[in-house]
Amino acid sequence: MKETTVSTPLNRLSPLSVRERSACMCRHGFACSSFEAGHALHLIQARIASATRTEWADAIVEHADAATGELSVRTFDGATHALWNSGGAALEAPAGTPIALHVRYGVLAVGRTQFNVALS
């Protein structure tokens, strides 16, 4: 008796065509599917930021626009940073909220909640 194997044909897509077709789900109102700056926080990004504790800076949110995801924060040494996040950081941290910012790895901490932010 001859056995037949059923297999799914391999779908070989080039990385370029995959990148061209991909779009972050947050643009469509769903959970973020990208780990680019300002989108979802990657586990490795969170771990490396927590491993470099001396690089965190305490700051206060000066301006937060929930519609655009833009935030402006001022660290206690006087430096101002413009940030952007698609995941609701501006909702969690309205103006006057104390936060912690890891500039090197682009992580914003509001209490125990962390966000991936794009710095400009």
Side-chain angles (χ1 to χ4, degrees), residues 55-80:
E55 295 186 41
W56 284 95
D58 292 326
I60 300 290
V61 177
E62 290 187 329
H63 174 74
D65 186 349
T68 63
E70 296 174 354
L71 296 104
S72 176
V73 302
R74 182 176 303 277
T75 60
F76 290 169
D77 64 0
T80 302

Side-chain angles (χ1 to χ4, degrees), residues 3-118:
E3 288 185 35
T4 58
T5 57
V6 178
S7 64
T8 306
L10 294 175
N11 188 2
R12 304 221 184 243
L13 295 173
S14 72
L16 179 62
S17 65
V18 171
R19 268 183 273 148
E20 288 175 349
R21 290 189 217 173
S22 68
C24 185
M25 295 306 293
C26 68
R27 293 182 185 173
H28 306 289
F30 299 106
C32 212
S33 60
S34 171
F35 294 112
E36 293 293 322
H39 291 273
L41 182 67
H42 196 280
L43 177 62
I44 294 171
Q45 182 183 12
R47 285 187 176 179
I48 200 164
S50 68
T52 53
R53 296 177 190 261
T54 59
E55 295 186 41
W56 284 95
D58 292 326
I60 300 290
V61 177
E62 290 187 329
H63 174 74
D65 186 349
T68 63
E70 296 174 354
L71 296 104
S72 176
V73 302
R74 182 176 303 277
T75 60
F76 290 169
D77 64 0
T80 302
H81 299 279
L83 313 173
W84 177 80
N85 173 266
S86 69
L91 289 171
E92 293 289 324
T97 305
I99 56 101
L101 179 64
H102 199 296
V103 176
R104 183 174 176 188
Y105 294 115
V107 180
L108 171 76
V110 183
R112 292 181 173 247
T113 306
Q114 293 184 347
F115 297 93
N116 178 0
V117 292

